[in-house]
Amino acid sequence: MRYVARVKGRLFLLAAAVTLAACSEDKPKAVDPKRVMQVNGVWLLDGKPWTGKQSSVYPNGKPSFEGELIEGKPHGTWTWYYESGNPRSRVVYSLGMHDGNETHYYDDTANTPMWIKVWRDGQFVESHQWKADGTPVLPRTAPGTNTATSAVP
């Protein structure tokens, strides 16, 4: 009789745990790296273009990176982080092409920009760079573009 009571108690706890897990927020499952490959700039999962949000975490639980793939191509804003949790870089993609700002930061709580590259339709336009104290360094521009750009972000 005691054995039956223990089994029933354990079954109740198991049922409660399953119910709570079903009600909780779905967490993404880790993907075995052996299932992932990149061919001609397209990320594949099990041989098919991968679509969905992507992320990874450091052993300390803080995010390592996050972004989204559409048909195997990076799309939208991708963010990489330092182990401290501060942003390391943010890059804007449009179906696999750089399209917008690519910003890299110093590892500080103020998110001080280190440099910014400006991209349009996959083509480099210009970049701006700063020292850790925020002092601007002269901008660089792509060949054949207007070189009279100021160093203001």
Side-chain angles (χ1 to χ4, degrees):
M1 183 83 162
R2 247 179 151 166
Y3 174 76
V4 173
R6 279 190 300 192
V7 170
K8 283 184 178 178
R10 288 181 183 161
L11 286 174
F12 173 77
L13 290 174
L14 178 63
V18 169
T19 302
L20 287 173
C23 295
S24 68
E25 202 175 294
D26 288 338
K27 292 185 178 180
K29 296 178 183 174
V31 174
D32 182 352
K34 294 176 188 171
R35 297 174 53 202
V36 180
M37 67 168 53
Q38 188 179 27
V39 177
N40 297 326
V42 176
W43 288 95
L44 305 175
L45 176 62
D46 297 330
K48 298 176 185 165
W50 194 354
T51 295
K53 293 186 178 187
Q54 310 303 312
S55 64
S56 180
V57 295
Y58 287 110
N60 66 10
K62 293 188 178 183
S64 168
F65 79 88
E66 55 193 11
E68 184 173 0
L69 293 170
I70 295 181
E71 291 296 313
K73 298 176 182 178
H75 189 74
T77 301
W78 279 65
T79 305
W80 288 263
Y81 298 91
Y82 289 103
E83 246 182 294
S84 65
N86 295 327
R88 177 186 298 263
S89 57
R90 285 194 175 100
V91 181
V92 179
Y93 294 96
S94 178
L95 296 175
M97 289 193 308
H98 286 89
D99 192 30
N101 289 350
E102 173 183 340
T103 308
H104 299 265
Y105 301 93
Y106 288 98
D107 189 6
D108 61 22
T109 55
N111 296 331
T112 306
M114 185 183 307
W115 54 270
I116 296 175
K117 284 186 178 180
V118 180
W119 298 85
R120 296 288 176 255
D121 299 321
Q123 300 297 310
F124 170 76
V125 177
E126 64 185 5
S127 70
H128 302 275
Q129 187 175 2
W130 293 266
K131 296 178 183 177
D133 65 3
T135 304
V137 178
L138 291 176
R140 296 185 193 132
T141 57
T145 60
N146 181 359
T147 58
T149 308
S150 70
V152 178

